[in-house]
Amino acid sequence: MSKALEGVKILDMTHVQSGPTCTQLLAWFGADVIKVERPGVGDATRGQLQDIPNVDSLYFTMLNSNKRSLTLNTKSDEGKAIFTKLIEHCDVMVENFAPGALDRMGFTWERIQEINPRMIYASVKGFGPGPYEDCKVYENVAQCTGGAASTTGEIDSVPLVTGAQIGDSGTGLHLALGIVTALFHRSHSGKGQRVTCAMQDGVLNLCRVKLRDQQRLEHGPLTEYPQYPNGTFGEATPRAGNASGGGQPGWIVKCKGWETDPDAYIYVITQAAAFDGLAKAIGHEDWLEDPDWNTPKARLPRLEEMFDEIEKWTKTKTKFEVMDILNPLNVPCGPILSMKELAEEPSLRETGTIVEVDHPERGKYLTVGNPVKLSDSPADVDRSPLLGEHTDEILKEIGLSVAEIESSKSAGAV
Ligand SMILES: CC(C)(COP(=O)(O)OP(=O)(O)OC[C@H]1O[C@@H](n2cnc3c(N)ncnc32)[C@H](O)[C@@H]1OP(=O)(O)O)[C@@H](O)C(=O)NCCC(=O)NCCS
């Protein structure tokens, strides 16, 4: 079985999270990803949040699996000559530097096309063209500027950012799709193209249901939001606590052990089609005949009371017991799983969604595997490279002699 992107060579100029997410995904699919890092320094995340002194951090190792590392100072003359050879050699270049960084090194899109007209040149930036295009951006800035923070959080409380890295990893995923689309296009056009994705745009794309609600608001209150019918709506899509955005009421309720376990909760969706079973399960058969309860519309003003009643029942069971009882009744629900529970979940290990790999300096560690499964193209997960681990091997591949490699080293270019 061959890897789907076998033979595709990626010149990986990415750092931190958004770009590395993209190239890690391409590497899992089988592309040869050459990560270019500054000599002696490398990707800043190697040294950030280190749990073991002087060993590549988990921040780095979990974003750079299946890649090869080459150290190269792309600002020196020798380094620029090698970088030019790499552009000739590769199919795709990916970067997520601050706006203009590669132009400042002398590698504009025009120059890159001169060197290799088949090159696909992909970038993540914080913003697209507009008032903020020159700004540096990190995850939470993107969550705030892309509409996620204004629509996340408790009603009547501050905006909240989420732990899911929708700005960084989310934009990396979008960019990967742009790259494979451009590769597909190149297979018949013969030409490369520029691929860009702004983090603000990526986050907004993921927040589309909130833009939907913004427009619905012009035609009346959002009836599935907890603000309805007793609260008020302002001019913009409000925060909705844990309400389900899908038109079927949902909420997080406590389960047995909540007093001491911060994750003893479950999300329950009171889908209309499964409501009778749910009402019976929690001992509220009376609701089935009661006109105040037996239609979705009648229940809308009583959602808080309804979830309080559901919670009285869920508090008597563990989140897994609730799941076991409600699932056969077609009541959609999801236990709040902690990272500890996920890390220990055997089924996620079996599917390769979480994998354990061995690192020469840190020993064994857990990392994410490819969440996208291809039936004929397996994705094995290899550990991240040490800084410059593959420098000599890559320089030989692009045609440098042993003497040239040595002279680049003594000039400090690699
Ligand atoms: C993430 C970000 C805020 C980090 O900013 P930063 O740490 O200041 O890093 P920069 O991207 O500005 O790069 C720093 C410098 O290193 C240089 N550099 C990087 N790799 C190099 C190499 N191999 N050789 C020589 N110089 C190198 C860059 O050219 C840049 O120099 P310049 O400022 O003279 O142009 C910024 O890169 C950014 O906004 N990126 C786009 C959005 C993004 O992806 N954000 C999410 C990150 S998870």
Side-chain angles (χ1 to χ4, degrees):
M1 286 196 286
S2 69
K3 303 231 161 126
L5 292 181
E6 188 121 43
V8 175
K9 295 190 202 73
I10 313 270
L11 180 51
D12 181 6
M13 301 291 290
T14 68
H15 66 154
V16 203
Q17 184 178 170
S18 67
T21 305
C22 167
T23 51
Q24 176 168 269
L25 196 59
L26 300 172
W28 283 332
F29 283 130
D32 176 13
V33 175
I34 299 171
K35 184 170 173 98
V36 176
E37 300 181 81
R38 234 180 315 180
V41 186
D43 188 326
T45 59
R46 285 187 186 267
Q48 284 170 355
L49 310 177
Q50 279 184 345
D51 53 328
I52 305 172
N54 304 321
V55 170
D56 285 341
S57 70
L58 288 164
Y59 193 4
F60 176 84
T61 56
M62 292 180 70
L63 282 160
N64 291 286
S65 305
N66 297 49
K67 303 180 187 178
R68 297 195 288 165
S69 167
L70 159 80
T71 49
L72 183 67
N73 179 357
T74 50
K75 283 185 173 166
S76 71
D77 289 342
E78 295 87 347
K80 281 181 188 173
I82 293 172
F83 192 53
T84 305
K85 277 185 186 295
L86 283 163
I87 295 175
E88 282 166 7
H89 175 80
C90 291
D91 301 281
V92 180
M93 177 155 99
V94 194
E95 65 89 27
N96 67 310
F97 291 128
L102 270 161
D103 293 1
R104 286 193 285 280
M105 287 177 202
F107 293 93
T108 59
W109 173 219
E110 290 70 30
R111 177 76 191 113
I112 292 163
Q113 281 171 293
E114 268 166 31
I115 303 168
N116 179 358
R118 285 174 60 78
M119 174 60 86
I120 288 157
Y121 175 22
S123 301
V124 169
K125 294 289 168 260
F127 295 94
Y132 304 124
E133 64 189 42
D134 293 329
C135 297
K136 291 189 173 185
V137 167
Y138 284 105
E139 172 68 43
N140 288 347
V141 175
Q143 290 197 23
C144 293
T145 57
S150 67
T151 53
T152 304
E154 292 297 339
I155 302 153
D156 299 328
S157 189
V158 295
L160 268 193
V161 293
T162 144
Q165 305 285 284
I166 56 175
D168 281 341
S169 290
T171 310
L173 298 178
H174 283 100
L175 195 73
L177 177 62
I179 290 169
V180 290
T181 305
L183 277 168
F184 177 73
H185 183 256
R186 193 185 74 172
S187 66
H188 47 92
S189 73
K191 272 177 50 198
Q193 61 181 304
R194 190 86 173 88
V195 180
T196 54
C197 190
M199 293 168 75
Q200 181 183 41
D201 301 8
V203 170
L204 178 58
N205 184 42
L206 298 175
C207 291
R208 66 188 69 172
V209 299
K210 301 296 178 181
L211 183 59
R212 173 200 67 196
D213 293 348
Q214 179 63 39
Q215 297 171 85
R216 289 173 57 223
L217 203 48
E218 287 167 24
H219 301 279
L222 306 170
T223 52
E224 78 283 18
Y225 277 57
Q227 286 87 340
Y228 178 80
N230 308 316
T232 52
F233 287 88
E235 287 185 346
T237 308
R239 296 185 267 288
N242 286 316
S244 147
Q248 305 283 356
W251 203 254
I252 289 179
V253 286
K254 290 171 180 155
C255 294
K256 195 178 194 170
W258 66 273
E259 298 90 338
T260 51
D261 176 357
D263 297 308
Y265 292 83
I266 192 163
Y267 199 97
V268 178
I269 298 179
T270 60
Q271 179 160 283
F275 188 77
D276 289 9
L278 174 66
K280 281 185 203 154
I282 66 166
H284 261 296
E285 279 198 67
D286 53 306
W287 284 352
L288 305 181
E289 302 304 323
D290 186 341
D292 277 353
W293 288 97
N294 63 7
T295 64
K297 200 165 174 206
R299 291 192 287 274
L300 271 184
R302 313 189 151 68
L303 293 184
E304 209 178 317
E305 191 187 339
M306 179 179 75
F307 284 111
D308 284 349
E309 290 301 302
I310 293 172
E311 191 172 67
K312 279 184 196 157
W313 176 76
T314 55
K315 272 160 88 175
T316 67
K317 314 230 160 345
T318 69
K319 59 190 176 187
F320 298 110
E321 286 166 352
V322 174
M323 180 91 173
D324 287 345
I325 296 169
L326 294 188
N327 252 324
L329 303 175
N330 285 328
V331 177
C333 53
I336 308 305
L337 295 182
S338 68
M339 274 301 145
K340 183 171 190 296
E341 286 163 334
L342 288 164
E344 291 166 359
E345 172 55 45
S347 66
L348 295 176
R349 299 292 184 95
E350 270 160 37
T351 56
T353 297
I354 295 183
V355 288
E356 188 177 69
V357 289
D358 207 356
H359 187 275
E361 291 179 348
R362 74 163 27 255
K364 290 189 170 32
Y365 67 97
L366 282 190
T367 190
V368 286
N370 196 342
V372 185
K373 321 289 183 194
L374 298 188
S375 64
D376 280 356
S377 304
D380 303 323
V381 178
D382 301 326
R383 68 162 172 90
S384 61
L386 300 172
L387 180 60
E389 186 175 345
H390 306 95
T391 298
D392 287 37
E393 144 188 329
I394 293 165
L395 293 179
K396 270 187 218 143
E397 279 169 24
I398 62 168
L400 267 70
S401 66
V402 174
E404 283 170 326
I405 296 174
E406 283 317 311
S407 98
S408 321
K409 278 185 187 165
S410 47
V414 302

